[in-house]
Amino acid sequence: MNVSEAAHRSGLPAKTIRYYEDVGLVSPGRAANGYRDYSDDDVHSLAFLRRARGLGFSIEECQQLMALYRDKSRASHDVREIASAHVAAIDDKIAELQSMRRTLDTLVRACHGDSRPDCPILEDMAGGELAGARKADGAKGACC
């Protein structure tokens, strides 16, 4: 089947499928006319990749997972190790996002949101230097 049909059946855009071929995640055969010829197995691999990418696995992790998926003598602990490391990375990202949210929430609550130029949000982003610079040169600015 051609890339359009493979895209339809796998749920991936044709451009993504071509990228996955470029990085070696899939290797479709070639028809007599030189066009890519995707098999049912290729479409299954593409659906596998769509799910893995949807779970946030990187291209490198997808390469590892795809190799393990194709290796029928694999050890499941190898797969578990990759997935566990990914869960830990997600937990780290969640903690980072929660910290960012707390900081921004505090800054938003500290901002008066009126016509005065002083803005704790901008001051924080400038490392506290903005307030001193504005006061020193008498500059006026919009507040949040």
Side-chain angles (χ1 to χ4, degrees):
M1 78 189 76
N2 66 24
V3 70
S4 296
E5 179 64 20
H8 175 73
R9 290 182 54 194
S10 68
L12 290 170
K15 186 174 183 176
T16 300
I17 294 172
R18 288 186 192 100
Y19 172 71
Y20 287 169
E21 181 183 358
D22 288 344
V23 298
L25 287 171
V26 292
S27 299
R30 295 285 176 167
N33 60 7
Y35 292 147
R36 294 170 180 90
D37 186 19
Y38 293 89
S39 67
D40 287 337
D41 285 342
D42 292 326
V43 171
H44 182 76
S45 293
L46 291 167
F48 176 97
L49 291 167
R50 180 177 49 86
R51 177 69 174 142
R53 294 289 287 155
L55 290 171
F57 287 101
S58 68
I59 293 296
E60 294 77 22
E61 290 167 328
C62 285
Q63 288 170 327
Q64 294 171 341
L65 290 168
M66 184 61 73
L68 288 166
Y69 179 72
R70 290 178 178 149
D71 179 4
K72 299 304 178 200
S73 64
R74 69 185 167 263
S76 64
H77 68 84
D78 294 336
V79 179
R80 182 185 173 112
E81 188 175 298
I82 294 168
S84 294
H86 189 60
V87 168
I90 290 170
D91 288 341
D92 290 346
K93 186 65 173 177
I94 289 170
E96 179 184 344
L97 289 169
Q98 288 173 332
S99 175
M100 287 174 16
R101 187 186 192 296
R102 282 190 302 274
T103 299
L104 284 170
D105 189 48
T106 299
L107 292 169
V108 166
R109 281 187 274 115
C111 182
H112 298 289
D114 55 19
S115 61
R116 294 181 301 170
D118 15 318
C119 179
I121 299 169
L122 294 177
E123 289 172 14
D124 181 82
M125 289 180 194
E129 299 166 12
L130 183 62
R134 287 190 186 273
K135 288 177 185 172
D137 67 11
K140 302 270 189 234
C143 183
C144 27

